[in-house]
Amino acid sequence: MPSRPHRLIATAALLAASALALAGCAGSPEPAPAAEGETVTVKIGTLRGQPHFYQPFLYADHAVDGVEFEVVTLDTTPALSDALTSGSIDFAISGVTPSIASIAQDRDLKVVASAADGGSGFIGNGESSLEELTGQKIGIIQGSAQEVALRLLIEDAGLQPEDFELTAIPVPEMATAFAAGDIAAFMGVEIGVSIAKGNGGEEVVDPYSTPIGKVNIGLITTGAYIEEHPDVVQKVVDTHAATTEYMADNIDEWLPGMVEEFGGDQSVFESALENFWLRSDLSDEYVGQLEALAEAMASIGLIDEAPTADDIVDTSFAS
């Protein structure tokens, strides 16, 4: 089902302090039934309490005939990559940056649909250029798409990373560190971005003005699973697309339930609505941004060599 990029809520990373444990991470995946007409149970991994990772919790309401879902929550997107590689889960809603890092390490992962764009912010105290922050401490999420974007912005400004004190700070602590004055600015994710703005922070530079654009989250599986169960992959992608379209058009219906289940301030989520875009397609532009992200990751040393678009994406299933 085709889907359009839609504005959705930004990253609720501050709510991810706890997650359900994944049992049997070293185990092998349950094979999908081969007999026609049987229902396949798919294990789908995601992060807890974050709206742009929330699609799997609603898959059951939009599932294509012949597939049902078991949702598994983990603490981090690298952990989701590990679980996919080990076979503990079959699919994941996960960050494309850690997925590309895994692919660069010859792990058998593939992006089969987009999931969400945006959720980033470069927040300071009234500065309008990177030059004004030289010598200052800037908070980063190490190894993230946001770090890649910041380094590209630094390069575009004719500066060097060494011109700043780039400081890795855990996502849940970023807004607090900024409010306390421990950092002069940060390139981070929602909902920390909206919290900082609510406390007087202002955007320094557009975080989406680099070649990687707004690319952030995708639906990931393994090449082996695609080869063994292409019909199941199609059903999962179709379910994902239907769920994504519903979520984008009916935020008022599902957001209160998510807040009730996981906690948090709904008004903070709502204030971040303009900084996130839910999607499921694999447009040429999106694939190009993934390839640009991989090339940028290699150029700044996050990976040794950039995988190609064909290494990263399988466009056979998404519209």
Side-chain angles (χ1 to χ4, degrees):
M1 176 183 301
S3 64
R4 301 171 282 106
H6 293 278
R7 294 187 183 274
L8 187 67
I9 294 178
T11 311
L14 301 179
L15 302 179
S18 63
L20 301 178
L22 175 63
C25 282
S28 58
E30 296 181 8
E36 186 176 352
E38 291 190 28
T39 297
V40 178
T41 298
V42 171
K43 291 184 178 180
I44 173 79
T46 191
L47 302 186
R48 179 184 177 87
Q50 301 188 32
H52 61 297
F53 286 85
Y54 196 63
Q55 291 103 318
F57 292 97
L58 300 178
Y59 279 178
D61 296 332
H62 305 277
V64 174
D65 288 345
V67 63
E68 60 185 20
F69 296 90
E70 176 184 340
V71 180
V72 178
T73 55
L74 292 178
D75 291 310
T76 66
T77 49
L80 290 168
S81 294
D82 291 342
L84 281 168
T85 302
S86 72
S88 299
I89 58 177
D90 304 309
F91 291 80
I93 298 293
S94 189
V96 294
T97 305
S99 299
I100 290 172
S102 292
I103 292 165
Q105 297 170 354
D106 293 326
R107 289 181 161 189
D108 183 31
L109 302 185
K110 291 283 187 182
V111 178
V112 291
S114 59
D117 284 346
S120 301
F122 186 12
I123 306 302
N125 287 297
E127 301 87 356
S128 59
S129 70
L130 276 160
E131 286 83 358
E132 296 176 65
L133 288 166
T134 54
Q136 299 295 306
K137 186 179 290 186
I138 300 177
I140 61 170
I141 306 165
Q142 196 162 29
S144 66
Q146 290 73 32
E147 181 189 0
V148 175
L150 177 59
R151 289 178 179 272
L152 291 174
L153 289 169
I154 290 172
E155 181 180 346
D156 188 57
L159 301 168
Q160 302 292 327
E162 294 74 24
D163 293 327
F164 310 89
E165 190 176 345
L166 301 184
T167 305
I169 298 178
V171 168
E173 300 173 17
M174 192 73 81
T176 302
F178 179 70
D182 296 335
I183 52 178
F186 69 93
M187 175 67 99
V189 295
E190 294 287 4
I191 58 176
V193 170
S194 288
I195 290 173
K197 286 183 176 179
N199 291 329
E202 299 178 30
E203 186 170 88
V204 179
V205 180
D206 180 3
Y208 307 128
S209 60
T210 75
I212 70 175
K214 299 179 175 74
V215 68
N216 196 353
I217 309 297
L219 176 63
I220 321 294
T221 188
T222 65
Y225 197 95
I226 292 170
E227 184 176 352
E228 294 170 15
H229 313 296
D231 56 331
V232 178
V233 176
Q234 187 64 69
K235 291 179 179 180
V236 172
V237 171
D238 290 346
T239 297
H240 171 70
T243 304
T244 298
E245 185 170 4
Y246 162 78
M247 289 179 69
D249 293 337
N250 299 278
I251 293 170
D252 292 343
E253 292 184 11
W254 60 265
L255 179 58
M258 193 206 81
V259 174
E260 182 178 356
E261 181 173 357
F262 295 120
D265 186 340
Q266 183 167 327
S267 65
V268 173
F269 295 149
E270 291 171 346
S271 75
L273 282 171
E274 295 303 307
N275 195 26
F276 227 101
W277 295 263
L278 194 68
R279 65 188 299 174
S280 63
D281 66 297
L282 284 179
S283 68
D284 290 343
E285 180 185 16
Y286 182 86
V287 173
Q289 288 173 344
L290 289 177
E291 194 164 33
L293 174 59
E295 292 168 355
M297 290 170 68
S299 72
I300 66 176
L302 292 181
I303 56 178
D304 292 333
E305 185 176 350
T308 67
D310 288 341
D311 296 326
I312 301 167
V313 182
D314 189 324
T315 60
S316 305
F317 305 99
S319 300

